[in-house]
Structures are given as C-alpha cells and as structure tokens.
C-alpha cells in the first residue's frame, strides 16, 4: 500500500478510505480474499501440501491460513480439497 500511494502521490489514509468506499472492503480484506481464491485454485489443481499452499499464497503462518480459510469457506483447506475432488 505504501508503494502504491507513493507512486500515485496520495496519502495512505486517502487511498484506504477510497478503496473501502469503492469496493466495500478494506485493503487487507481484499488481499486476504484474493489469497484465498488463489489457494483454492492450488488446492484443486495441484498436489501441494497445505503448508506449501499457505506459503505460496503469502500467508504468514499455516495457522493463520487455516483460520482465514475456515472463516471464508466454513471448511478447513483439507476438507475443501477432499469435498471438491470427490
């Protein structure tokens, strides 16, 4: 966010406020949702471990990935993979 704001010459506060106004999400909510979409794709199209998927998609820890994924999907990543592939 800092790099974007510097590049376009607006304050971080203004950018975050406008982003929320236009998307309905905070920047972090948007980033996490995007990471979950990418992780879901990895779960379905690769045989990577949950740890590898977590790291590949920018989560700071596997436990944080599990928590965010479960909040969004109401399933653990492993349950999601098993259900989708069965």
């Amino acid at each position: 966010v800092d790099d974007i704001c510097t590049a376009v010459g607006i304050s971080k506060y203004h950018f975050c406020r406008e982003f929320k106004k236009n998307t309905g999400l905070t920047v972090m909510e948007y980033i996490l949702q995007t990471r979950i979409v990418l992780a879901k794709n990895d779960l379905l199209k690769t045989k990577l471990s949950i740890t590898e998927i977590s790291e590949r998609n920018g989560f700071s820890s596997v436990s944080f990935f599990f928590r965010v994924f479960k909040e969004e999907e109401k399933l653990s990543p492993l349950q999601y993979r098993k259900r989708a592939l069965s």
Side-chain angles (χ1 to χ4, degrees):
V1 173
D2 291 330
D3 292 341
I4 293 168
C5 293
T6 299
V8 294
I10 61 174
S11 75
K12 186 176 178 179
Y13 172 76
H14 181 69
F15 173 77
C16 290
R17 187 182 59 207
E18 289 299 311
F19 190 92
K20 171 104 181 188
K21 185 169 108 182
N22 288 290
T23 66
L25 300 169
T26 66
V27 174
M28 185 51 85
E29 288 168 340
Y30 176 80
I31 290 169
L32 288 175
Q33 282 187 358
T34 301
R35 288 177 178 172
I36 291 297
V37 168
L38 295 171
K40 286 167 54 177
N41 187 54
D42 284 345
L43 286 164
L44 300 180
K45 295 185 178 181
T46 73
K47 294 186 181 200
L48 295 172
S49 71
I50 303 301
T51 301
E52 290 170 314
I53 291 171
S54 170
E55 291 170 357
R56 179 178 173 161
N57 290 290
F59 287 91
S60 57
S61 70
V62 176
S63 61
F64 181 59
F65 171 58
F66 265 75
R67 189 173 64 225
V68 172
F69 194 95
K70 195 156 189 171
E71 248 177 53
E72 288 290 318
E73 295 300 318
K74 309 302 183 234
L75 297 168
S76 73
L78 189 55
Q79 289 169 328
Y80 178 85
R81 177 183 264 171
K82 286 180 179 178
R83 180 175 284 175
L85 296 177
S86 61

